[in-house]
Amino acid sequence: MNTIIKRDGKEAAFDESKIFNAIYAANKAVSGEKMTSIDFTYLTKKVVEQLEGDTCTVEEVQDIVEQMLIKYDWEKTAKAYILYRSQHQKLRNTRDTLLD
């Protein structure tokens, strides 16, 4: 994976540390499901392995993060991640509505 297409359509260099950080933030937001740096690294690698080609979208990456969290039984972290995505989608929609 070399390039990611952001929501605004712009291309950027793919940075897997952003996946690691997103999983970390979701896990930090929950109690009773403590992950280690090894867990974060493992899941990040599993997400990257699922990506095909040289380019992907932010949404594709986020969908795979959700799938991997669920697949490896990190249910609370997956829920926090899904809720975070949903909240930010609502914020983007509200901002877009206000700008129109």
Side-chain angles (χ1 to χ4, degrees):
M1 187 58 48
N2 296 320
T3 305
I4 191 160
I5 301 170
K6 299 170 102 178
R7 284 186 185 83
D8 63 5
K10 293 180 183 174
E11 293 185 2
F14 181 79
D15 180 2
E16 71 180 60
S17 71
K18 291 187 177 190
I19 298 169
F20 182 103
N21 292 337
I23 296 169
Y24 172 82
N27 183 251
K28 188 175 178 181
V30 300
S31 61
E33 194 171 80
K34 182 144 173 74
M35 297 170 77
T36 66
S37 61
I38 293 169
D39 296 320
F40 301 129
T41 301
Y42 180 79
L43 286 168
T44 300
K45 295 294 182 196
K46 289 298 181 183
V47 170
V48 172
E49 287 174 7
Q50 296 296 311
L51 299 170
E52 297 178 2
D54 290 332
T55 304
C56 64
T57 66
V58 169
E59 291 295 324
E60 290 170 334
V61 173
Q62 289 180 333
D63 289 345
I64 294 171
V65 170
E66 285 181 19
Q67 293 167 11
M68 292 300 106
L69 287 168
I70 292 166
K71 179 178 180 177
Y72 291 100
D73 297 322
W74 296 104
E75 294 174 11
K76 290 180 180 180
T77 302
K79 184 174 181 178
Y81 187 81
I82 292 165
L83 289 173
Y84 175 85
R85 281 184 74 186
S86 176
Q87 290 169 345
H88 280 263
Q89 180 62 44
K90 287 177 187 176
L91 290 172
R92 283 191 298 277
N93 290 344
T94 301
R95 183 190 68 228
D96 291 346
T97 300
L98 290 173
L99 291 175
D100 288 343

